[in-house]
Amino acid sequence: MGDAFIRHIELLGYEKRFFPSQHYVYMFLVKWNDLSEKLVYRRFTEIYEFHKALKEMFPIESGDINIENRIIPHLPAPKWFDGQRSTQNRQGTLAEYCYMLVNLPHKISRCLHVVNFFKVRPDDMNPVTDSMIKKPEVFLLPTDAKKNATDITGPIVLQTYRAIADYEKSSTSEMALKAGDMVDVVEKSESGWFFCQLKNKRGWVPAAYLEPMDGPDESEEQDPNYAGEQYVVQKSYTAVEEDELSLKEGDTIEVIHKLLDGWWVIRKDETTGYYPSMYLQKAGEANTSVKSELRNRSAPPRRSTIRNAKSIHKQSRKQISQETYRRNSKKYIQSQRNLKKNFQNKANVIIEKNEREENKPKAQPAVPPRPSKDLILNHCTESTRRKIL
């Protein structure tokens, strides 16, 4: 028998787990070419990372070179906060994605990247659990085609984070924390503030003071986008650290990396640096009362400024230096300039060629030589011959 490949992938539903912290995993029934059927569990963040890697492996089919050539299906990025509702609502998209994935050309659908991702893992057979924590809850996708996936109901699952240092609140809407406190995150704001609950207390906490339980890095953070998104500064800010930028209200900049701690990496001309996301507004969006509201709020602290921070993870958080941001940003800008220049050069060559063709004198038809007398006598009629002779 040849190499293993997947015949069909069926989304069965999702499971809510409570160890090591509350989270969701999707359940897939994978049907293989040897007629075996295996049940596997995958987090959406894993699926999205798999999707990004697949696009990098097949840039033509992913539409990176020409969008018209795209055949790899789209998959939305993880949200800032993936709760019960977003997990439910995503099932239709995910089921369609799996169907289209298996039906792609064999060089994609049967490549090792796809096969290895859906192979059974040890934790698929024996999920890691804690006997002191309640068992996972299963939410099956309705088999009735008329029933929508959003009809599944259940309690909202909150992510558990740990405080890495003491935090003293500065307003009544915030919540004080001690290092080591375990909090449930109710809401994640792009401004860098998380709304948390701890027993009977609730309030806003800077995201920089919290770390996820599974690892030092935020799985929801997206990769840098050096193409940039245009934003307008809504409130001036003067840089305090060397890697920050000072901007004035009304300045237009490009956001190249959105980070959960509320300090986004932006680009002004060819300079990059951190800037508070809460002082920015996407270009073209309607202006609201946010402007006056922001003047009464301060930017969240940065993780690098927190003293006595203690993490439970051995590895430190992955962090891209401003030098790397600047270098990659310049490379992207230069590549776009070169692309534009090459396009312009090709356009000029075509124009010049067309002009040369238009100005080129047209060739005149050649005048045939006058036939000789003998040739005429040989080809003319008898009547004509008598007249000549």
Side-chain angles (χ1 to χ4, degrees), residues 264-309:
W264 290 358
V265 182
I266 65 170
R267 179 172 60 212
K268 177 68 173 173
D269 299 323
E270 292 190 1
T271 306
T272 66
Y274 292 105
Y275 199 83
S277 62
M278 63 193 299
Y279 297 161
L280 300 172
Q281 181 175 300
K282 196 164 188 177
E285 286 189 353
N287 204 359
T288 61
S289 58
V290 175
K291 213 172 191 181
S292 58
E293 199 177 299
L294 288 175
R295 288 186 168 87
N296 300 322
R297 297 170 60 186
S298 58
R302 291 180 56 189
R303 188 178 292 267
S304 58
T305 63
I306 300 173
R307 296 180 180 179
N308 302 320

Side-chain angles (χ1 to χ4, degrees), residues 329-379:
S329 183
K330 286 181 179 178
K331 283 182 181 178
Y332 176 83
I333 293 172
Q334 189 59 46
S335 67
Q336 292 302 301
R337 287 174 180 168
N338 292 340
L339 194 65
K340 187 176 180 180
K341 186 177 179 181
N342 291 338
F343 179 79
Q344 188 62 47
N345 289 340
K346 287 181 180 178
N348 291 337
V349 169
I350 294 172
I351 292 171
E352 290 175 5
K353 186 177 180 181
N354 292 338
E355 288 177 348
R356 285 199 302 270
E357 291 294 329
E358 290 176 0
N359 297 329
K360 190 175 180 181
K362 294 182 179 179
Q364 298 296 324
V367 179
R370 182 179 179 84
S372 65
K373 182 178 178 182
D374 293 339
L375 185 63
I376 294 173
L377 290 172
N378 288 335
H379 291 83

Side-chain angles (χ1 to χ4, degrees), residues 83-362:
Q84 176 95 16
R85 184 170 298 176
S86 59
T87 304
Q88 290 172 190
N89 294 344
R90 194 187 286 124
Q91 289 183 106
T93 302
L94 201 51
E96 184 179 358
Y97 178 84
C98 291
Y99 174 81
M100 295 178 69
L101 177 67
V102 175
N103 287 282
L104 288 172
H106 291 175
K107 69 174 184 177
I108 304 176
S109 62
R110 299 186 182 184
C111 71
L112 282 176
H113 181 61
V114 175
V115 171
N116 290 337
F117 181 77
F118 285 99
K119 276 184 178 178
V120 177
R121 302 171 182 170
D123 57 350
D124 290 327
M125 305 294 291
N126 299 296
V128 180
T129 58
D130 188 328
S131 58
M132 301 299 292
I133 301 176
K134 61 180 180 178
K135 294 182 178 180
E137 297 176 6
V138 178
F139 299 81
L140 295 177
L141 191 66
T143 54
D144 185 357
K146 296 180 181 179
K147 196 170 183 181
N148 194 293
T150 56
D151 292 337
I152 305 174
T153 59
I156 294 177
V157 175
L158 305 178
Q159 291 178 289
T160 303
Y161 277 68
R162 176 186 173 276
I164 62 172
D166 296 347
Y167 176 71
E168 295 296 331
K169 65 179 184 178
S170 56
S171 70
T172 54
S173 63
E174 298 176 20
M175 182 172 70
L177 290 177
K178 295 291 183 183
D181 281 348
M182 309 288 284
V183 299
D184 292 326
V185 176
V186 179
E187 180 184 344
K188 294 179 179 180
S189 169
E190 287 189 350
S191 64
W193 292 88
F194 287 3
F195 192 75
C196 306
Q197 66 178 26
L198 175 61
K199 296 180 181 178
N200 61 343
K201 296 190 300 179
R202 283 191 171 196
W204 292 97
V205 177
Y209 275 79
L210 302 172
E211 67 176 359
M213 299 298 296
D214 297 339
D217 298 305
E218 286 283 2
S219 60
E220 297 173 46
E221 283 185 348
Q222 301 179 23
D223 293 332
N225 172 25
Y226 291 104
E229 291 182 69
Q230 213 171 55
Y231 276 74
V232 178
V233 176
Q234 296 295 300
K235 185 177 179 180
S236 302
Y237 173 79
T238 303
V240 177
E241 304 292 332
E242 290 183 359
D243 54 3
E244 299 173 0
L245 287 183
S246 298
L247 295 174
K248 294 180 180 179
E249 182 180 335
D251 285 349
T252 300
I253 53 89
E254 293 172 310
V255 174
I256 61 175
H257 201 185
K258 297 179 179 180
L259 301 172
L260 281 178
D261 64 0
W263 286 84
W264 290 358
V265 182
I266 65 170
R267 179 172 60 212
K268 177 68 173 173
D269 299 323
E270 292 190 1
T271 306
T272 66
Y274 292 105
Y275 199 83
S277 62
M278 63 193 299
Y279 297 161
L280 300 172
Q281 181 175 300
K282 196 164 188 177
E285 286 189 353
N287 204 359
T288 61
S289 58
V290 175
K291 213 172 191 181
S292 58
E293 199 177 299
L294 288 175
R295 288 186 168 87
N296 300 322
R297 297 170 60 186
S298 58
R302 291 180 56 189
R303 188 178 292 267
S304 58
T305 63
I306 300 173
R307 296 180 180 179
N308 302 320
K310 295 179 181 178
S311 172
I312 58 172
H313 305 297
K314 293 181 180 179
Q315 293 182 338
S316 58
R317 288 169 62 91
K318 293 177 183 177
Q319 189 173 2
I320 303 174
S321 67
Q322 282 301 321
E323 179 58 34
T324 302
Y325 282 123
R326 278 190 288 271
R327 184 171 62 250
N328 291 340
S329 183
K330 286 181 179 178
K331 283 182 181 178
Y332 176 83
I333 293 172
Q334 189 59 46
S335 67
Q336 292 302 301
R337 287 174 180 168
N338 292 340
L339 194 65
K340 187 176 180 180
K341 186 177 179 181
N342 291 338
F343 179 79
Q344 188 62 47
N345 289 340
K346 287 181 180 178
N348 291 337
V349 169
I350 294 172
I351 292 171
E352 290 175 5
K353 186 177 180 181
N354 292 338
E355 288 177 348
R356 285 199 302 270
E357 291 294 329
E358 290 176 0
N359 297 329
K360 190 175 180 181
K362 294 182 179 179

